[in-house]
């Protein structure tokens, strides 16, 4: 059972005054493994995403800086990649407690937070 969040990150290197780098800005993809549905952290999407975008870019940029230990210039949410087994457990967990999402259906929850940025792989 596998799933991960995908982000695009632009960061800068700030070397010591004795060395320099060129270029000093780089772009990369950052992957965050999704927690098992129902376990601590599984609501990452609810706490950080809204309609397929980061809800609070500044806050998330700070979290990304802490994780990478470099100055982060920009971070953008790009997608959620999951296998069928994880997706089934994920949607079952959402369906079991729709009230916490203030929604009437799983598809409403998925659209509210992910927009159309979910990619399932068999």
């Amino acid at each position: 059972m596998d799933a991960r969040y995908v982000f695009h990150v632009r960061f800068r290197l700030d070397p010591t005054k004795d060395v320099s780098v060129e270029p000093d800005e780089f772009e990369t993809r950052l992957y965050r493994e999704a927690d098992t549905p129902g376990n601590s952290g599984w609501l990452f999407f609810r706490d950080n995403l809204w309609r397929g975008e980061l809800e609070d870019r500044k806050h998330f940029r700070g979290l990304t800086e802490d994780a990478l230990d470099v100055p982060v210039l920009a971070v953008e949410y790009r997608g959620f990649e999951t296998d069928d087994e994880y997706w089934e457990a994920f949607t079952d967990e959402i369906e079991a407690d729709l009230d916490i999402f203030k929604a009437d259906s799983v598809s409403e929850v998925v659209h509210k937070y992910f927009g159309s940025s979910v990619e399932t792989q068999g």
Side-chain angles (χ1 to χ4, degrees):
M1 193 162 68
D2 290 315
R4 65 186 182 174
Y5 297 90
V6 182
F7 302 91
H8 177 264
V9 178
R10 190 164 40 95
F11 66 94
R12 182 180 62 243
L13 294 179
D14 287 330
T16 63
K17 59 184 171 188
D18 297 335
V19 298
S20 62
V21 293
E22 194 173 310
D24 63 351
E25 291 184 12
F26 301 88
E27 295 182 3
T28 192
R29 285 199 178 248
L30 174 102
Y31 301 96
R32 181 198 185 276
E33 294 299 315
D35 295 296
T36 303
N39 288 354
S40 176
W42 88 278
L43 292 171
F44 176 86
F45 69 97
R46 184 198 68 183
D47 299 338
N48 292 285
L49 302 177
W50 185 251
R51 302 204 189 281
E53 299 287 335
L54 288 170
E55 187 171 19
D56 183 344
R57 288 177 189 254
K58 183 177 179 181
H59 170 73
F60 203 83
R61 193 171 58 244
L63 294 176
T64 306
E65 284 182 351
D66 291 344
L68 298 178
D69 199 28
V70 294
V72 172
L73 305 172
V75 60
E76 296 175 12
Y77 172 72
R78 290 297 168 97
F80 186 68
E81 298 174 349
T82 179
D83 63 19
D84 292 336
E85 182 183 0
Y86 183 96
W87 187 247
E88 183 176 341
F90 184 79
T91 56
D92 286 351
E93 193 68 33
I94 290 171
E95 188 171 40
D97 202 358
L98 285 169
D99 289 344
I100 67 169
F101 303 103
K102 297 181 176 122
D104 295 323
S105 68
V106 171
S107 60
E108 182 183 349
V109 172
V110 170
H111 182 71
K112 251 184 179 179
Y113 297 98
F114 291 100
S116 61
S117 64
V118 175
E119 182 180 326
T120 57
Q121 303 158 355

